[in-house]
Amino acid sequence: MFRTALRNVFAHKARLLMTVLAVMLGVAFVSGTLVFTNTISEAYQKSSAKGFDQVDVAVEPEHQDSEGDTVGKTAELTQPLLDESTKVPGAASAIGVVNGFTAIADKDGKLIGGGFQSQGGNYWGTKDTRYPLVSGHAPSGAGEVLIDSETAKRAGYEVGDTVRLSVDGPVLDPKITGIFTTDDGNVAAGGSLALFDTATAQRLFGKTGTYDQIDVRAKAGVSQTALKAELDKALPKNLVETTTGEQLAADQAEMISSSMSGLKQGLLVFAGIALFVGTFIIANTFTMLVAQRTKELALLRAVGASRRQVTRSVLIEAFVVGVVAAVTGLAAGIGIGAGLRSLMGSLGATVPDGPLIITPGTVGAALAVGVLVTMLAAWLPGRRAAKIPPVAAMSSLYAAATTKSLVLRNTLGALFSGAGIAVVLAATTMSGSDGQAPMGLGAVLLIIGVFILTPLLSRPLIAAAAPVLRVFGVSGKLARQNSVRNPRRTAATASALMIGLTLITGMTVMAGSLQKSIDKMAASAIKADYVVSMANGNELSPDVEKKLGRIDDVTATSPLRNAPSRIDGETEYLTGVTGSTIGELTDLKVDSGAFKVGGTQVVVDDTTATSHGWKAGSSFTVSYEDGEKQKLTVAGVYEGNEMIQGIILDNATLSPHQSDPADMQVMVKTSDGTSGATKDQLEKALGSNPAIKVQDKKDLSDEIAQMFTLMLNMLYGLLAMAVLVAVLGVINTLAMSVFERSQEIGMLRAIGLDRRGIKRMVRLESLVICLFGGVLGIGLGVFFGWAAGELLGSSLATYELVLPWARMAVFLLLAATVGVLAALWPARRAGRLNMLAAIKSE
């Protein structure tokens, strides 16, 4: 039986090629994902570990636990603590580290790097081995700075150049006195690093006389653990905590691995769907191959082969195909992993140097996925073939699908579909987090149910295309009949495309609807023309609001200032605003009371009010971060949203209790409204600072919706994968269908249908099958998009369903294009058949 199986594989090389390609694509995406994420993760981990080579023990401030009504504070690392760390037995030296956000502009004034990747710190001079100088000398005073070599290379800076910097708001124009190299992970990821002398860094980052961390080096022969123990004895336990450099490197590696896991899971989901789609093609291929060899398998049964042996022979074929596909897929996946890494570089993302990582786990996963998927897909056709009675099969009397089997299939499909719809509809009535799992379960049940029912659905849906197909005469009529002749085959072929289009249509509906709801939210919650904030999400200096307020065209401003507090024994964050102008800048719907902010009067969002049992007129006691307590009165309760929520009070009340007031953002209203000239005027007033964003309502909504857009673009990539696999499936199905119908095609040629008509018949058949899959996919996608929107609507009051008709038309056109392209080779093959040879074929 083993030799028989191998002969069958080699006898059908061309027909199995498409199956190998389908499996290979899925395996390639799985192995490519693992190679890419392992390589990037390993490179970052080694790079970050190098960054801790100069640290044996790190001393950090310990966060003070909050007790009673006081707000937790963080201890400070002062100069005496640094001096004491240096004198500890076993310590060779100690360096105080200061760091903070520092944006470096390129020569065009644009921000280099992005957000958190733009950092600044202090340089300790010649004894600072963390940052070896490549050229120049150490900085001295506020007018001098060092920049890393990667940033200098990207922006074209050299020693002696003047560079534009932004440190927590203020704009500086220091001179570059030196360029250094670093293993800092942020720089490796495409960010930037600027270094000042220690006194300047402390002043710029608002940490005069204090440090963020103290890095202690051990003497020769002293272990990190021993040095840590000595530091723990000498330093006050309630103020600081110590960590070895090895532990810091391990924590960093774990953090990097955790951050990479999201990317890895997302890519593996795409690969899994490609494999899922490919499974239909594999099952379809083996079903047709087994059907074509019915007499051969029956003869094996007649000469003594058991059912188990026949099934085993089919599974051996699948095993050989799976091994070949898995090996070639692994090789292709390694290429994909290397290509993705190069692509990141070409897109401007800097990745630390390192070898391509191919782990035994990657090889094992590729082989397991390729072989198991193929064998599972081939098991059902093999089992079905083994159950064919030998005499019936040899006399061609055996019918593959009985009425009883079709009734059973349709009943099962109806039950799955009904259960799926019921669970999805039930999930739409739940709150966001509670409804996610039921909706996912309902979606899976419905997709399975529709897939089972696809043969039944194919007849009425394809029949609806009959009026159009009549235009093509006999070819059109034959194409329609051929499409419904074998409903199971049509269903399996169309399902591959259906799944891809279901996903992408559902996500497109959700993304469009969310964008509309976010636009409505921005329009309804904010009356301000502009919102000013830091590019990295850090706090703004209070000077920003003062500068904006001095512009002639600005009619009202208000900063949004966050501060922790204790209320009823729990930590609550307060939002400070300018009480006299906040009403002009916001348009929040008030449920009860009045929107009055000033003195001890505050307004509270509905969620916070409900959790504390407050209403208009309620009073509560707040404990500020300085420990002072005050009684506040709820003037009104408003409907919160993603942009504005929480307890809002006047900054005149809040600021005296803050040691270092800073603003998260500043809302601005101008006399001329939004315009390019007004925006330029605001940016110029802030010193054309590359680290400060000036955004109108559209910019705000676009930024919030950015992650949905990114997810959608990734899913478009998924669609491309699914379409590619689906094309292979359609080609495979049509090629085998042409082979099966060789005699029929020969007869059609003999009675007058020319080659052009034969080609048109095959193309129209392919077009009808793909459009059938496209209609099912788009229909399911719209349903899932609506259901997910209803779930989101429970927590997003402005949610509104938006159907992207133009994009859905494009998706349908894409399905039609797939049908036309996939039929090119099978149609050409059918048209070139010799009619006499075809008539004589069995």
Side-chain angles (χ1 to χ4, degrees):
M1 295 303 294
F2 181 74
R3 288 196 299 271
T4 302
L6 288 180
R7 286 196 191 101
N8 284 325
V9 170
F10 292 115
H12 304 111
K13 293 189 291 290
R15 279 176 264 164
L16 287 170
L17 177 62
M18 296 298 176
T19 304
V20 170
L21 285 173
V23 182
M24 185 198 76
L25 278 173
V27 173
F29 284 119
V30 170
S31 54
T33 293
L34 294 174
V35 168
F36 170 66
T37 52
N38 288 339
T39 297
I40 298 299
S41 181
E42 182 81 5
Y44 278 120
Q45 286 178 18
K46 286 186 176 178
S47 175
S48 67
K50 286 181 184 177
F52 294 110
D53 286 347
Q54 305 299 322
V55 183
D56 288 319
V57 179
V59 180
E60 296 175 302
E62 185 177 71
H63 186 76
Q64 302 294 298
D65 292 331
S66 57
E67 296 179 3
D69 291 331
T70 61
V71 179
K73 295 181 179 180
T74 302
E76 294 182 336
L77 301 181
T78 59
Q79 186 64 38
L81 273 176
L82 174 61
D83 296 337
E84 192 173 347
S85 300
T86 309
K87 298 172 185 176
V88 166
S93 63
I95 290 177
V97 177
V98 183
N99 52 53
F101 173 68
T102 302
I104 304 178
D106 60 20
K107 293 185 177 181
D108 295 325
K110 303 297 183 183
L111 178 66
I112 297 175
F116 70 93
Q117 295 173 336
S118 302
Q119 296 292 317
N122 64 318
Y123 185 72
W124 275 79
T126 53
K127 67 175 182 177
D128 194 339
T129 55
R130 300 170 301 167
Y131 310 112
L133 283 176
V134 176
S135 58
H137 60 84
S140 176
E144 297 184 352
V145 70
L146 303 180
I147 65 171
D148 67 272
S149 56
E150 290 297 325
T151 299
K153 188 188 303 180
R154 288 200 300 271
Y157 283 128
E158 297 177 353
V159 173
D161 289 345
T162 298
V163 61
R164 196 169 185 78
L165 299 176
S166 172
V167 179
D168 285 343
V171 180
L172 308 171
D173 294 293
K175 179 182 177 182
I176 299 173
T177 62
I179 294 173
F180 62 91
T181 59
T182 177
D183 292 316
D184 187 279
N186 286 323
V187 174
S192 60
L193 181 60
L195 299 178
F196 308 90
D197 66 82
T198 299
T200 301
Q202 288 176 323
R203 180 177 58 80
L204 290 175
F205 299 132
K207 297 160 186 173
T208 304
T210 64
Y211 303 95
D212 292 299
Q213 182 174 303
I214 297 173
D215 293 343
V216 186
R217 292 296 306 275
K219 290 179 179 178
V222 178
S223 69
Q224 292 186 356
T225 306
L227 178 58
K228 180 181 184 301
E230 292 294 338
L231 285 165
D232 287 339
K233 290 179 188 176
L235 301 180
K237 294 182 176 59
N238 61 333
L239 290 179
V240 300
E241 57 186 13
T242 57
T243 312
T244 63
E246 293 172 353
Q247 185 60 48
L248 287 173
D251 292 343
Q252 181 84 345
E254 185 178 348
M255 184 181 72
I256 292 171
S257 178
S258 176
S259 65
M260 291 298 295
S261 67
L263 174 63
K264 182 185 291 187
Q265 288 173 7
L267 292 173
L268 284 174
V269 166
F270 292 172
I273 292 171
L275 277 173
F276 185 56
V277 172
T279 302
F280 293 121
I281 298 170
I282 301 163
N284 213 16
T285 301
F286 276 94
T287 299
M288 288 185 284
L289 285 174
V290 169
Q292 290 171 11
R293 295 183 356 238
T294 300
K295 288 187 178 181
E296 174 189 327
L297 295 174
L299 183 60
L300 288 173
R301 290 288 311 283
V303 296
S306 65
R307 287 185 177 183
R308 183 173 296 178
Q309 286 177 310
V310 170
T311 304
R312 194 181 302 148
S313 71
V314 175
L315 290 178
I316 290 171
E317 288 183 52
F319 176 79
V320 174
V321 170
V323 169
V324 172
V327 171
T328 53
L330 175 61
I334 294 171
I336 288 174
L340 285 173
R341 179 173 173 170
S342 301
L343 180 63
M344 285 185 70
S346 65
L347 292 175
T350 306
V351 180
D353 293 330
L356 206 63
I357 305 299
I358 306 166
T359 64
T362 300
V363 176
L367 292 173
V369 165
V371 174
L372 287 177
V373 166
T374 309
M375 293 185 70
L376 285 173
W379 175 76
L380 189 59
R383 183 172 174 272
R384 189 183 296 134
K387 293 173 70 175
I388 300 174
V391 176
M394 292 181 72
S395 60
S396 301
L397 295 175
Y398 180 74
T402 63
T403 303
K404 181 180 177 181
S405 69
L406 290 174
V407 169
L408 179 63
R409 177 176 181 138
N410 294 337
T411 303
L412 193 62
L415 290 174
F416 268 96
S417 299
I421 292 173
V423 173
V424 168
L425 291 177
T428 60
T429 63
M430 303 178 184
S431 62
S433 57
D434 295 337
Q436 289 177 2
M439 184 161 290
L441 174 63
V444 171
L445 290 174
L446 181 54
I447 287 178
I448 292 173
V450 170
F451 171 66
I452 296 172
L453 284 175
T454 306
L456 178 66
L457 297 173
S458 64
R459 290 186 179 276
L461 288 178
I462 291 175
V468 178
L469 293 174
R470 286 197 195 100
V471 175
F472 299 96
V474 175
S475 297
K477 184 178 180 181
L478 289 172
R480 183 181 65 80
Q481 292 174 346
N482 289 333
S483 300
V484 295
R485 175 185 296 181
N486 191 332
R488 287 184 175 179
R489 182 189 302 166
T490 298
T493 306
S495 294
L497 194 58
M498 177 192 78
I499 292 171
L501 285 176
T502 296
L503 288 169
I504 197 64
T505 303
M507 286 304 301
T508 303
V509 170
M510 280 185 61
S513 301
L514 282 170
Q515 180 68 63
K516 182 71 177 289
S517 67
I518 291 166
D519 291 343
K520 285 176 64 178
M521 184 192 302
S524 62
I526 299 176
K527 286 197 288 189
D529 295 316
Y530 295 97
V531 175
V532 179
S533 60
M534 291 290 283
N536 68 330
N538 275 7
E539 298 173 330
L540 285 165
S541 165
D543 291 338
V544 170
E545 196 254 345
K546 294 176 183 177
K547 289 179 180 178
L548 292 169
R550 289 195 289 265
I551 300 173
D552 292 336
D553 292 336
V554 172
T555 58
T557 64
S558 174
L560 266 66
R561 187 170 296 170
N562 284 355
S565 71
R566 298 285 292 182
I567 300 173
D568 295 337
E570 297 178 0
T571 299
E572 290 277 5
Y573 277 85
L574 308 174
T575 301
V577 299
T578 302
S580 59
T581 60
I582 191 65
E584 300 176 52
L585 300 166
T586 59
D587 189 18
L588 298 167
K589 183 180 177 182
V590 179
D591 291 337
S592 62
F595 197 87
K596 291 181 181 179
V597 179
T600 59
Q601 287 191 313
V602 302
V603 291
V604 183
D605 72 294
D606 47 2
T607 304
T608 304
T610 302
S611 65
H612 287 280
W614 298 336
K615 58 184 179 179
S618 298
S619 296
F620 61 91
T621 301
V622 60
S623 178
Y624 297 107
E625 59 181 305
D626 63 355
E628 293 290 326
K629 296 182 180 181
Q630 188 175 25
K631 191 172 184 179
L632 301 176
T633 302
V634 178
V637 177
Y638 67 93
E639 288 187 7
N641 55 55
E642 296 298 317
M643 294 185 173
I644 301 177
Q645 56 187 320
I647 303 170
I648 299 177
L649 74 163
D650 199 333
N651 275 326
T653 304
L654 175 64
S655 298
H657 302 286
Q658 292 183 285
S659 57
D660 185 22
D663 305 327
M664 292 306 297
Q665 54 185 221
V666 178
M667 292 188 288
V668 182
K669 193 167 184 62
T670 63
S671 56
D672 297 331
T674 57
S675 67
T678 303
K679 187 174 183 178
D680 290 342
Q681 185 182 14
L682 297 178
E683 290 177 342
K684 189 174 181 181
L686 296 174
S688 300
N689 192 326
I692 295 180
K693 299 184 295 185
V694 179
Q695 299 173 294
D696 58 22
K697 293 178 187 179
K698 185 177 186 308
D699 296 331
L700 283 171
S701 61
D702 288 347
E703 184 177 62
I704 295 173
Q706 189 174 9
M707 69 172 178
F708 302 112
T709 304
L710 176 63
M711 188 183 300
L712 193 61
N713 289 336
M714 292 176 71
L715 279 169
Y716 282 140
L718 167 63
L719 176 64
M721 289 176 4
V723 166
L724 183 58
V725 178
V727 166
L728 292 174
V730 177
I731 294 173
N732 210 10
T733 299
L734 291 174
M736 291 193 170
S737 178
V738 167
F739 177 82
E740 283 182 350
R741 303 201 313 258
S742 295
Q743 191 177 59
E744 175 188 321
I745 291 171
M747 290 295 294
L748 289 172
R749 289 288 315 283
I751 60 176
L753 190 62
D754 59 9
R755 289 186 175 180
R756 184 177 296 177
I758 294 291
K759 290 180 181 179
R760 188 183 298 122
M761 176 188 72
V762 176
R763 289 184 191 130
L764 289 173
E765 181 181 346
S766 174
L767 181 64
V768 166
I769 291 173
C770 288
L771 284 175
F772 168 57
V775 168
L776 281 182
I778 292 172
L780 280 174
V782 168
F783 176 71
F784 290 139
W786 166 82
E790 289 294 305
L791 192 61
L792 283 171
S794 63
S795 57
L796 200 61
T798 55
Y799 186 84
E800 178 184 336
L801 180 67
V802 176
L803 293 180
W805 295 106
R807 290 199 179 187
M808 288 193 293
V810 170
F811 296 156
L812 201 58
L813 182 62
L814 178 64
T817 305
V818 167
V820 172
L821 293 177
L824 290 178
W825 178 63
R828 184 169 176 268
R829 185 165 177 247
R832 296 179 64 180
L833 283 176
N834 181 288
M835 71 175 75
L836 294 178
I839 291 171
K840 289 191 296 181
S841 67
E842 293 186 6

